[in-house]
């Protein structure tokens, strides 16, 4: 039985005040019926320490939105995995489509970041997903397989035991245009089958969460699919009531 996971990706949103308010509301509300789910928030980096302090003793765990592949060095503006670990970060997003597109991260770089996170005893949330053009030209599975296989070849299938995969079709992120539950389940099953070719055990254990315009209205149907183990939530995770409703939809 896989334990579900819901993670909020706050991207480059918030202020000291708004993030403290949001966290306090999440901590208060999560006491009221969110059971059996790993709950994660990924704030912007400057707020990590404040979030670490506010979340201490709560059910919420801390995540980061990005990491560098190297443990230290002359990389101005970057943040290394051991630095994140010092702030009790447990999960790190790698390969988010906004980074693949805006920062031109390649599959190979994502694979290096993935192993850097594991080396420092945190769990990578590996984001995979195709663009609209790739889906419309019938290449969605090919693209997702290539993204996953690069990581599998770099780190080996056993490394996946400590990871989470997030299937996030690029055309659904921040657009309000969610994949249907059927489309999402089909790709999640495909990803699990790809994993099963290398290890049936890891394939049955790994959590594959869905991201792309998840909201309070569509979460329950998405999370009810047999291969969907929770969600990666962007915009809707910035509103405490809606995010808690989404978290309750999986529990
Ligand atoms: C995301 O940023 O990973 C995401 C899924 O965003 P949204 O929920 O806003 O589509």
């Amino acid at each position: 039985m896989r334990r579900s996971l819901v993670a909020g990706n706050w991207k480059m949103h918030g202020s000291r005040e708004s993030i403290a308010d949001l966290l306090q509301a999440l901590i208060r509300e999560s006491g009221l019926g969110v059971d059996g789910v790993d709950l994660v928030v990924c704030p912007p980096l400057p707020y990590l320490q404040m979030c670490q302090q506010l979340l201490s003793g709560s059910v919420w765990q801390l995540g980061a939105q990005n990491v560098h592949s190297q443990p230290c060095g002359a990389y101005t503006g970057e943040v290394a995995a051991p630095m994140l670990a010092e702030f009790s970060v447990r999960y790190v997003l790698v390969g988010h489509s906004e980074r693949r597109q805006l920062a031109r991260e390649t599959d190979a770089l994502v694979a290096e970041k993935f192993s850097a996170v594991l080396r420092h005893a945190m769990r990578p949330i590996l984001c995979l997903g195709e663009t609209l053009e790739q889906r419309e030209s019938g290449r969605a599975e090919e693209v997702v397989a290539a993204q996953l296989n690069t990581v599998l070849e770099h780190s080996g299938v056993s490394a996946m035991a400590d990871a989470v995969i997030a299937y996030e079709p690029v055309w659904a992120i921040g657009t309000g245009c969610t994949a249907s539950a059927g489309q999402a389940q089909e790709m999640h099953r495909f990803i699990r089958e790809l994993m099963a070719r290398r290890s049936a055990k890891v394939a049955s254990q790994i959590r594959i969460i869905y991201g792309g315009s998840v909201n309070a209205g569509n979460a329950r149907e998405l999370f009810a699919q047999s291969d969907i183990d929770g969600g990666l939530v962007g915009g809707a995770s910035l509103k405490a009531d809606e995010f808690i409703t989404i978290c309750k939809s999986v529990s």
Side-chain angles (χ1 to χ4, degrees):
M1 182 74 179
R2 296 183 294 270
R3 187 175 163 86
S4 302
L5 182 145
V6 180
N9 174 15
W10 292 345
K11 311 194 188 196
M12 199 172 71
H13 293 294
S15 63
R16 196 173 246 287
E17 193 183 347
S18 70
I19 285 183
D21 288 349
L22 181 53
L23 279 185
Q24 274 149 7
L26 292 179
I27 292 167
R28 207 173 40 243
E29 294 296 322
S30 59
L32 309 172
V34 183
D35 298 317
V37 187
D38 283 336
L39 299 172
V40 180
V41 288
C42 304
L45 283 176
Y47 304 119
L48 273 186
Q49 184 170 26
M50 180 183 85
C51 292
Q52 178 192 26
Q53 286 164 353
L54 288 172
L55 294 180
S56 165
S58 82
V59 295
W60 290 89
Q61 301 180 75
L62 202 48
Q65 299 175 19
N66 184 31
V67 67
H68 197 268
S69 59
Q70 298 302 311
C72 61
Y75 301 103
T76 302
E78 297 288 348
V79 174
M83 298 173 182
L84 297 177
E86 278 198 297
F87 289 93
S88 312
V89 167
R90 301 273 182 259
Y91 293 87
V92 184
L93 303 182
V94 295
H96 191 281
S97 67
E98 285 155 15
R99 295 213 55 85
R100 290 181 190 265
Q101 290 188 325
L102 303 174
R104 302 199 197 296
E105 291 191 5
T106 61
D107 291 351
L109 178 60
V110 171
E112 284 183 28
K113 291 184 174 206
F114 180 93
S115 62
V117 172
L118 286 175
R119 266 198 304 281
H120 294 90
M122 297 175 289
R123 293 179 189 274
I125 300 180
L126 170 64
C127 304
L128 311 173
E130 80 287 354
T131 63
L132 186 58
E133 186 265 323
Q134 288 162 338
R135 175 162 282 262
E136 286 179 346
S137 60
R139 292 168 49 228
E141 290 187 349
E142 176 198 329
V143 169
V144 167
Q147 292 170 341
L148 179 61
N149 284 333
T150 307
V151 175
L152 285 168
E153 270 144 39
H154 190 272
S155 293
V157 68
S158 57
M160 284 289 167
D162 292 318
V164 175
I165 292 176
Y167 168 58
E168 296 206 301
V170 180
W171 45 272
I173 297 179
T175 59
C177 173
T178 322
S180 68
Q183 282 173 319
Q185 164 59 22
E186 194 178 1
M187 186 61 89
H188 281 232
R189 183 187 300 133
F190 172 72
I191 293 168
R192 209 177 290 288
E193 281 168 5
L194 283 179
M195 300 283 303
R197 288 186 205 160
R198 300 183 189 238
S199 165
K201 182 161 179 248
V202 174
S204 69
Q205 289 174 346
I206 191 161
R207 293 179 288 184
I208 308 178
I209 62 176
Y210 169 81
S213 298
V214 175
N215 60 40
N218 59 31
R220 192 169 292 281
E221 191 187 358
L222 284 161
F223 298 163
Q225 305 304 308
S226 57
D227 287 293
I228 300 184
D229 304 312
L232 178 54
V233 186
S237 70
L238 289 161
K239 296 168 244 161
D241 289 352
E242 180 157 26
F243 192 32
I244 288 292
T245 302
I246 292 169
C247 296
K248 285 183 179 166
S249 305
V250 82
S251 65

